[in-house]
Amino acid sequence: PETVTVQELANRMAERGANVIKALMKMGVMATITQSIDADTAELVVEEFGHKAKRVADSDIEIGLVAPQDDADKLTSRAPVVTVMGHVDHGKTSLLDALRQTDVVSGEAGGITQHIGAYQVTRPSGQKITFIDTPGHAAFTAMRARGAKVTDIVILVVAADDGIMPQTVEAIRHAKAAEVPIVVAVNKIDKPDADPNRVRTELLNHDIQVEEMGGEVLSVEVSAKQKLNLDKLEEAILLQSELLDLKANPERSAEGTVIEAKMEKGRGSIATILVTRGTLRVGDVFVAGKEWGRVRAMVDERGQRIDEAGPAVPVEVLGFAGTPDAGDDFVVVEDEARAREVAEYRQRKEREALAVKSARGGSSMEQLFA
Ligand code: GTP
Ligand code: MG
């Protein structure tokens, strides 16, 4: 069943992981910080710490937003969510741009696109792939630290004329730590000094065995510049995603993750939300991190107004009372009173945590200059 890790639960209660492990031990449950516990156990732990285990969405605990698994018969296939990572200048942005141009839908609409931090392409076959446009490693790590697991697959871009570089290694480390499968894109194969074989060999030193080397990691030689093999890369992504058997229940109130958020003059706080389960609709009331709001309008990556967004669909949402943070969870709740209650609870928690910090002295100077 769908569960929550001890770390995640601790984060959300603003408690130390060690204390949560101790509480679990008292209940006869042995778990390490990275292990998962079920929703019922999580609820007991939450109460053990004196928090009231309020249920926000259907059966989610307020603090943990512990979401039980949806009934199997409600699950339907969803698009994979893909993040592109790699060393500086190896062609991440170029590749995202090139992949975006493969979208048959935006082609029909005249190709006017706007940057909303994430976009979805539809292949001629009708299959869809969602790309997240923002994360550098820092954003990826921040999101992961906050328990947001948004990416299903990491595309590791390695320039064929440059090979494995420090940020390539870093990206591999992040993907492995997050247990997200990698698809390798050996880019810039149009260059005269391109040496894809060297890339594949060097990858062995980092525990990545691509198929050509007898391993199982999919890898595709591409040129973002000349738009070579982009269809093959998309096929590799879809193949990998089939192995993951990605599913979600579209028939429930929406949950998602804040991909990016900003304040815009005349429009107020807006955020790009990636819906992870359920369907988000105009008029829905939500909590996002410490903020809440009501969906006033939704805009897709082509600038089109849309009325609803299902699993793996990224949308720009208008109607926030305040600006949330990237990586915040986003949960639709039943009414404004509940939304305010949860947002205020979380704001109070944060103030308390800050007060404790400054009471300890130490960091008050830092805070003064922060
Ligand atoms: P940062 O965002 O700075 O980390 O770089 P990036 O990884 O996004 O790389 P970007 O897409 O900006 O490309 C860097 C340079 O490589 C640009 O000058 C691109 O035109 C060039 N480039 C990208 N892909 C290819 C390719 O397939 N072939 C060739 N020849 N050049 C490429
Ligand atoms: Mg870039």
Side-chain angles (χ1 to χ4, degrees):
E2 182 77 289
T3 51
V4 61
T5 66
V6 173
Q7 177 73 70
E8 210 173 314
L9 190 62
N11 288 350
R12 286 170 178 183
M13 294 193 297
E15 295 286 353
R16 295 172 48 131
N19 292 340
V20 175
I21 290 173
K22 270 188 226 156
L24 280 165
M25 272 167 68
K26 266 198 266 168
M27 294 162 53
V29 178
M30 297 297 167
T32 64
I33 194 83
T34 54
Q35 261 168 4
S36 295
I37 54 176
D38 62 34
D40 289 341
T41 310
E43 190 164 7
L44 289 174
V45 171
V46 167
E47 275 163 5
E48 173 77 18
F49 280 94
H51 301 296
K52 206 160 155 14
K54 273 179 273 168
R55 300 243 164 183
V56 173
D58 290 348
S59 41
D60 299 343
I61 295 171
E62 194 288 294
I63 300 152
L65 292 175
V66 178
Q69 194 171 46
D70 289 292
D71 290 340
D73 60 334
K74 297 254 172 65
L75 298 176
T76 54
S77 294
R78 64 166 176 84
V81 178
V82 176
T83 301
V84 175
M85 291 182 149
H87 193 69
V88 59
D89 268 359
H90 279 198
K92 300 177 293 291
T93 304
S94 305
L95 190 61
L96 275 166
D97 287 348
L99 286 164
R100 186 168 194 162
Q101 285 165 24
T102 66
D103 184 16
V104 291
V105 179
S106 74
E108 285 162 12
I112 308 154
T113 54
Q114 74 182 67
H115 179 82
I116 69 162
Y119 62 85
Q120 195 175 59
V121 300
T122 305
R123 305 192 70 233
S125 60
Q127 287 165 301
K128 293 172 192 292
I129 303 173
T130 302
F131 290 97
I132 298 188
D133 208 348
T134 30
H137 303 158
F140 187 81
T141 308
M143 281 195 192
R144 205 161 61 78
R146 315 178 72 181
K149 191 181 177 247
V150 287
T151 304
D152 301 309
I153 296 168
V154 163
I155 306 278
L156 182 70
V157 181
V158 189
D161 60 337
D162 206 21
I164 309 297
M165 299 299 278
Q167 280 173 276
T168 318
V169 178
E170 213 178 296
I172 293 170
R173 212 169 46 230
H174 285 306
K176 290 204 170 201
E179 292 176 353
V180 176
I182 291 172
V183 171
V184 178
V186 182
N187 191 30
K188 305 199 187 186
I189 55 158
D190 59 285
K191 287 198 147 188
D193 51 346
D195 188 355
N197 231 346
R198 188 183 116 211
V199 173
R200 291 188 281 266
T201 309
E202 286 177 351
L203 281 171
L204 292 175
N205 298 331
H206 300 278
D207 259 345
I208 296 198
Q209 284 131 21
V210 298
E211 281 184 320
E212 293 88 334
M213 295 293 180
E216 286 181 349
V217 176
L218 301 175
S219 109
V220 183
E221 295 182 11
V222 298
S223 164
K225 193 174 187 176
Q226 297 192 347
K227 303 195 172 39
L228 291 175
N229 291 346
L230 299 178
D231 51 342
K232 283 195 185 145
L233 181 57
E234 289 179 338
E235 273 155 30
I237 293 167
L238 289 171
L239 190 62
Q240 180 64 59
S241 106
E242 260 169 47
L243 296 173
L244 297 172
D245 193 25
L246 304 167
K247 289 189 166 155
N249 175 8
E251 290 167 26
R252 51 166 290 156
S253 61
E255 286 178 20
T257 302
V258 177
I259 301 295
E260 59 177 19
K262 62 193 172 207
M263 196 35 205
E264 253 183 37
K265 267 212 179 112
R267 293 174 88 200
S269 294
I270 53 179
T272 299
I273 305 299
L274 177 71
V275 177
T276 50
R277 64 207 297 214
T279 297
L280 183 62
R281 296 191 171 83
V282 171
D284 280 350
V285 177
F286 60 82
V287 179
K290 301 183 296 294
E291 307 296 340
W292 69 279
R294 180 187 288 273
V295 180
R296 203 166 71 229
M298 292 195 287
V299 183
D300 71 9
E301 69 272 17
R302 290 179 292 279
Q304 313 267 345
R305 290 242 175 175
I306 52 174
D307 295 327
E308 51 176 52
V313 175
V315 275
E316 199 175 60
V317 171
L318 284 76
F320 283 81
T323 313
D325 294 316
D328 276 348
D329 55 354
F330 178 100
V331 180
V332 168
V333 297
E334 64 262 30
D335 57 25
E336 266 190 40
R338 174 51 60 89
R340 275 176 200 274
E341 183 187 20
V342 175
E344 278 163 15
Y345 171 85
R346 290 175 170 183
Q347 285 169 15
R348 193 174 69 241
K349 272 264 139 199
E350 188 185 58
R351 278 197 304 274
E352 283 168 11
L354 283 174
V356 168
K357 235 192 206 165
S358 67
R360 285 197 193 122
S363 59
S364 59
M365 284 302 270
E366 285 155 41
Q367 274 169 20
L368 208 58
F369 296 111

